[in-house]
Amino acid sequence: VQLVESGGGLVQPGGSLRLSCAASGSIFTFYRMGWYRQAPGKQRELVASITRDGSTNYAVSVKGRFTITRDNAVNTVYLQMNSLKPEDTGVYYCHGKAPGDDYWGQGTQVTVSS
């Protein structure tokens, strides 16, 4: 299964973006899917995750601003990002966790700047 992200770009502070992660196969392959981000010079960190049954988890820094959802019909996971801040800048990676395996997308750049 391959994961392909899209939706990144340049946005002003306070703006919104929606990232998409399309899987080449069924996302039921993964018991959890998530979005990670990596800022320059920093470690990759978990932003949000969602399980097969729809339970979600968010980093404290994005809680209340970001929403992760999944559409099983089109094998896609989304990350709606609102009230973006400069510190949200980074490369955002889609991740899928399957028994014994981790899958990653190639990443999409998000830049929040005026």
Side-chain angles (χ1 to χ4, degrees):
V1 178
Q2 290 184 321
L3 303 176
V4 180
E5 302 100 332
S6 61
L10 173 63
V11 63
Q12 291 187 340
S16 298
L17 282 176
R18 188 177 81 154
L19 305 183
S20 300
C21 171
S24 60
S26 172
I27 59 175
F28 280 108
T29 297
F30 310 109
Y31 57 80
R32 186 176 68 246
M33 296 191 72
W35 288 93
Y36 286 73
R37 70 185 177 195
Q38 188 164 20
K42 294 189 176 181
Q43 288 189 328
R44 193 174 296 189
E45 62 175 352
L46 176 67
V47 175
S49 65
I50 186 167
T51 63
R52 275 191 191 132
D53 65 2
S55 298
T56 57
N57 181 52
Y58 296 93
V60 172
S61 60
V62 307
K63 199 169 290 186
R65 300 188 296 123
F66 291 11
T67 304
I68 187 170
T69 56
R70 59 190 290 161
D71 187 338
N72 298 327
V74 293
N75 295 311
T76 301
V77 174
Y78 303 97
L79 184 68
Q80 178 66 43
M81 305 186 294
N82 298 328
S83 302
L84 283 161
K85 304 175 181 180
E87 52 263 43
D88 294 318
T89 294
V91 179
Y92 283 68
Y93 297 91
C94 180
H95 173 257
K97 182 66 178 174
D101 270 313
D102 287 272
Y103 294 79
W104 293 93
Q106 82 288 353
T108 186
Q109 176 70 44
V110 171
T111 302
V112 184
S113 175
S114 54

